[in-house]
Amino acid sequence: DCNRVWSDICTLRGFGNKFGSLFHSTNTTLPVLYTLTKTHKIPVDVDISTLKVTDIKVRPIISCSGSPIEKLSILATKIITPLLKFLPSHLENIHKHLEILSSMQPEELAGLKFYTADVTALFTNVNVETSINDVIELASEYWSQINTYGLKLVDLHRILDTVLSNSFFTFNRRLYKQVFGAFIGCSISPPVAIIRVHMLEKRSIYTDSLITTGIKKYYKRYVDDKSSLASTKEEAIRNCQRISDEDHDKRILWEVDFPEDDAYVPFLDTEVKIDNQGNLSSRYYRKPQNKGITLHALSHHPTSTKEAVVTNYYNTAVAVSSGPAEQKHSMQIVDVMLKQNGYTKPRQMWKPRKERSAKEVSNLVTLTLPYTNERDANRIRNFIKSNKMPVRPIFTPGKTLAQTFCNSRPHDKKQCVKGNPNTCEVCPIIKGGGCSKRGVVYQITCNLCEEKYQGETDRPLNRRIQEHIRAAKNPQKYPNNALGYHYSAAHPQIRFVFV
């Protein structure tokens, strides 16, 4: 269905084969469901082994990698993502809220509190049809200001409908369909959900009769997490409820976190507090459930990479801290985390980095090399520098043992092209895997004369074997196929039977 829709659009718009082939899907597999445990929802003092399965909350991630909707989803995402810059509430980076709040005077913030709220399961609770209409409404307003890649608005509507309505996925070798909401794991879902909530905000809290002082001064949202100002908790809840009331399905619900007394309120990787006099305090934040895992000091990476990791953490801690006391608190969090990852004296690795201009970087040729050891890496850097070569070396580590021997998403790899190995002709004869395997060297033995044929393919094995079967059944039509030639020459009077 995706290829048919895309072919129709290419014909209507006169796209050439080169551009059309970019978004034409081949050798696809259906999206696969796997779950991701919400570890941050489990209290720190609770032993996970004592929890019931029903007490553990998970995210239903549906991997669309290699699926029929993947390429069209990428195209639609490229078109509508630039629309987000026109949304007044959208945070383009996770620290923009501090920049806005710190620019306000205490007199403006006096009597107000910083609070946060997040939508419960946003992606799976947005109405797909309504969301598509919202995206088209917003896109029509700014169509001339974005790159549409030669598409018309009606084409975008058709692509969105195709991608979001074909919500089929597999789990445990069974086929299912998500009947409401968008896939968590599909590239188009975040911008669609963001625009959907924006339209709800536009029709509620942004109207002149309902806008409050706190919202007028500050209101920002990062996907499903929003932050704003209100004088009381009741006012904050009312503001959220007004947005929810605009959703006719009554599925967009908010969880509000309003500060008690002078407590900090977490938002993204910061926590913010406004006292009664309007003084703003902010500092670095990590959830208590966070394991603090980052690039280990003993990992097989260049020293420069480790220094960059350490520097980024400390720079972030300084940037989000409003004063000396807050900075000390933020730095201690980073100290503890880095020491847990093997950095004995992390602050000694904190080095200010010289920022290169965009022009300087664009004039350099990137040279990617495997990282062996620090001595060789330094020799290469010094050679490039001494010869004034316009080259920027990047050293990449090799595969780790975990990457080599472990697979954290085994169900993403479809075992059978047909979806059911019990009814497949090819799966039963394959040892050590299903017929969807790629990059296979195979051997076929003729049961009549014991002659053997070895071949190789980078496509799914089922497709190559099916070609051989068709050729063996009709050898005159496929004289260039190995099995077709064999049956034509060695067994012309015998009808092929696949065993």
Side-chain angles (χ1 to χ4, degrees), residues 431-449:
K431 296 178 181 179
C435 69
S436 65
K437 270 193 169 183
R438 299 170 183 261
V440 175
V441 177
Y442 59 91
Q443 176 176 282
I444 298 175
T445 303
C446 178
N447 289 333
L448 299 174
C449 63

Side-chain angles (χ1 to χ4, degrees), residues 38 41 116-127 180 196-197 200-201 219 221 223-226 236-257:
K38 293 183 178 181
K41 297 290 186 180
T116 63
D118 68 284
V119 182
T120 304
L122 173 60
F123 291 0
T124 54
N125 279 318
V126 293
N127 185 301
F180 200 94
R196 171 60 179 156
V197 178
L200 297 178
E201 294 166 344
Y219 181 92
R221 180 168 49 82
V223 190
D224 60 344
D225 292 319
K226 79 163 188 176
I237 293 174
R238 280 198 305 272
N239 290 337
C240 293
Q241 188 59 46
R242 286 166 181 159
I243 301 172
S244 298
D245 290 342
E246 288 297 317
D247 178 38
H248 298 302
D249 298 296
K250 304 302 179 186
R251 297 178 71 122
I252 303 298
L253 305 175
W254 298 85
E255 294 180 9
V256 179
D257 185 5

Side-chain angles (χ1 to χ4, degrees), residues 465-493:
I465 297 298
Q466 291 296 341
E467 288 178 359
H468 284 313
I469 293 174
R470 286 195 298 272
K473 289 181 177 179
N474 301 283
Q476 291 78 19
K477 291 185 178 181
Y478 303 93
N480 295 326
N481 182 278
L483 263 68
Y485 175 79
H486 175 75
Y487 262 79
S488 179
H491 314 294
Q493 304 300 325

Side-chain angles (χ1 to χ4, degrees), residues 296-329:
H296 199 277
L298 300 180
S299 64
H300 189 64
H301 286 76
T303 301
S304 59
T305 301
K306 298 171 186 175
E307 288 176 347
V309 170
V310 171
T311 297
N312 286 338
Y313 276 118
Y314 281 122
N315 285 348
T316 300
V318 172
V320 303
S321 300
S322 57
E326 291 79 16
Q327 182 173 321
K328 181 180 179 181
H329 173 87

